Amino acid sequence: MSAHPAHHGLAKTLLPWLVPVLIIVAWQLAASAGEIDNRVMPSPLAVLKAGKDLALSGQLWLHLKISFIRAMIGFAVGGGIGLALGLITGLSKRGELLLDSTVQMIRTIPPLALIPLVILWFGIDETAKLFLVAFGTLFPVYINTYHGIRSVDNGLVEMARSYGLKGWPLFRDVILPGALPSILVGVRFALGFAWILLIVAETISASSGIGYLATNAREFLQTDVVVLSILLYALLGKASDAAARVLERRWLRWHPAYQ
């Protein structure tokens, strides 16, 4: 007998959270039993209390808002440049010859290696943080856009041309839909990188944001706030990924793999 559709939907929603919940329960049990030193790793309840105190004081929402804005602006700039470069190299052989090698060389530079130079260029201003996030998010979008366009079935393109499609209509109706699954994979990767690089940027030089919250808490040995900050980054990363998946489901409704 098949399961009720409502039960199946509920299980599908809850199952991904089973492992994280089990980890948190085991963590709390180990902390309560004294197996974990609270000074080294506070219990989930202690972290929750720290979050509640910061939320009531208003500091938590302020730092969350600033970090979110930084991540989204950096992603918009880096992702936008990556998309534009991917379209140029994907659609044009000349563009590929001119730009791809340069982009690939720059891609191999670790963003962390750029930090000294970025500080020299921009100081510890807001621009330095946005630059690092934009730099890290550019390449996942670029590579997946380029790959997506080049993976579009040539037979499909030729058939569309035989029906008179060319230029913008050909791109809009055939090439872009074919490349979109790969582009959205790049967006998901880029959003993950945005939060990873923001952690680094805010930890090095910031007077606000979640990274600053963690750094400041470290100075005062507030490990519960440090752990809270790390968990906030994880939750924000997960929320960004979920938002990207919503876009996938909405824009790729026609694709059998996303139905």
Side-chain angles (χ1 to χ4, degrees):
M1 192 171 75
S2 60
H4 192 280
H7 293 165
H8 179 71
L10 185 63
K12 196 175 175 182
T13 303
L14 295 179
L15 205 56
W17 295 98
L18 179 61
V19 173
V21 168
L22 288 176
I23 291 172
I24 291 172
V25 169
W27 174 12
Q28 179 62 46
L29 290 174
S32 300
E35 297 294 331
I36 301 176
D37 188 343
N38 277 332
R39 291 171 301 178
V40 178
M41 188 67 173
S43 69
L45 288 178
V47 175
L48 195 62
K49 183 179 180 305
K52 181 184 172 186
D53 293 342
L54 285 169
L56 290 175
S57 70
Q59 290 186 57
L60 182 63
W61 311 119
L62 175 67
H63 292 302
L64 269 175
K65 178 184 171 185
I66 291 170
S67 290
F68 180 79
I69 291 172
R70 282 175 182 153
M72 291 304 105
I73 292 176
F75 166 75
V77 174
I81 295 172
L83 180 66
L85 290 173
L87 290 174
I88 292 170
T89 55
L91 293 170
S92 164
K93 287 285 185 188
R94 287 183 182 175
E96 181 187 9
L97 286 171
L98 185 66
L99 295 173
D100 185 61
S101 295
T102 306
V103 176
Q104 296 298 344
M105 280 192 290
I106 298 172
R107 182 176 68 85
T108 58
I109 300 172
L112 297 184
L114 287 175
I115 289 175
L117 193 58
V118 169
I119 291 174
L120 285 173
W121 283 348
F122 306 112
I124 56 172
D125 201 359
E126 199 69 18
T127 313
K129 303 170 195 58
L130 297 179
F131 178 87
L132 282 173
V133 175
F135 184 83
T137 54
L138 187 158
F139 302 106
V141 176
Y142 167 77
I143 290 173
N144 281 279
T145 302
Y146 171 80
H147 176 263
I149 291 173
R150 288 304 170 92
S151 300
V152 175
D153 188 351
N154 278 331
L156 197 62
V157 175
E158 290 304 320
M159 186 174 72
R161 282 181 174 147
S162 70
Y163 281 99
L165 279 180
K166 58 183 180 179
W168 168 248
L170 178 66
F171 174 76
R172 180 192 60 202
D173 297 335
V174 178
I175 297 175
L176 182 60
L180 201 53
S182 183
I183 294 173
L184 288 174
V185 169
V187 168
R188 290 180 65 185
F189 271 117
L191 284 170
F193 277 122
W195 290 110
I196 291 170
L197 288 169
L198 191 62
I199 294 171
V200 177
E202 289 185 340
T203 304
I204 291 170
S205 60
S207 57
S208 59
I210 302 171
Y212 166 76
L213 190 67
T215 307
N216 195 46
R218 186 198 61 196
E219 299 292 329
F220 295 97
L221 301 177
Q222 296 174 309
T223 50
D224 50 356
V225 178
V226 174
V227 174
L228 173 70
S229 304
I230 293 168
L231 292 178
L232 284 174
Y233 275 123
L235 289 173
L236 287 168
K238 173 63 181 171
S240 301
D241 187 65
R245 296 194 73 169
V246 169
L247 290 180
E248 280 184 345
R249 284 196 293 272
R250 177 166 296 184
W251 290 348
L252 301 175
R253 279 179 293 195
W254 53 271
H255 199 295
Y258 294 89
Q259 290 176 359

